[in-house]
Amino acid sequence: MGPKPRPMPRAVLTAVLLCAAAVGAAPVAQARVPVAQAQAPVARSQLQRPAGAEPYVVTLAPGADPERVMRETGVTRVRFVYRDTVRGFAADLDPEQVAALWARPDVVAVERDGEVVGAPVGPSVTGRW
């Protein structure tokens, strides 16, 4: 049997908890919408998509201007514009817009948007992290 664990000093515990709270509250990617398109958030089910349009997330190369890419490819149904951690936007796109975006050298990815559900993580999960 090993040595008995020592209790953590209250000041250290407080500092660790404050750091963890700050990291947990920090946004992963900050979305910005151009002023002309700024509006209150709308639930996905309340948005009316044009016929043939589907929700996509477009990732751009570092330094690319999302507004310029949207303007030059005719994208008008924008949900979010990403500028900080990643450059790009989420929008409803028709097949012609998807093809136009893929043809651009400053577009890294065009992916269907959707919900992702992770597997539960708990004591029964094994493996190395």
Side-chain angles (χ1 to χ4, degrees):
M1 204 157 132
K4 183 177 177 183
R6 296 185 320 185
M8 187 177 294
R10 183 172 293 206
V12 173
L13 180 60
T14 302
V16 168
L17 291 175
L18 287 174
C19 287
V23 169
V28 174
Q30 189 177 30
R32 293 187 187 152
V33 178
V35 174
Q37 297 174 353
Q39 59 185 13
V42 179
R44 183 184 302 250
S45 61
Q46 293 176 332
L47 291 174
Q48 296 297 319
R49 270 194 227 64
E54 296 293 333
Y56 282 85
V57 175
V58 179
T59 306
L60 302 176
D65 179 17
E67 277 83 10
R68 190 180 108 241
V69 172
M70 290 184 292
R71 184 176 56 252
E72 292 176 359
T73 54
V75 175
T76 58
R77 297 282 302 168
V78 179
R79 294 171 183 264
F80 299 102
V81 176
Y82 305 100
R83 295 188 162 284
D84 296 325
T85 304
V86 67
R87 289 197 169 266
F89 55 90
D92 292 330
L93 305 175
D94 61 39
E96 292 80 20
Q97 291 168 324
V98 171
L101 286 162
W102 271 121
R104 296 180 61 96
D106 52 357
V107 172
V108 174
V110 180
E111 304 169 287
R112 285 286 310 270
D113 195 2
E115 293 184 23
V116 178
V117 179
V121 177
S124 64
V125 175
T126 60
R128 293 170 45 177
W129 297 92

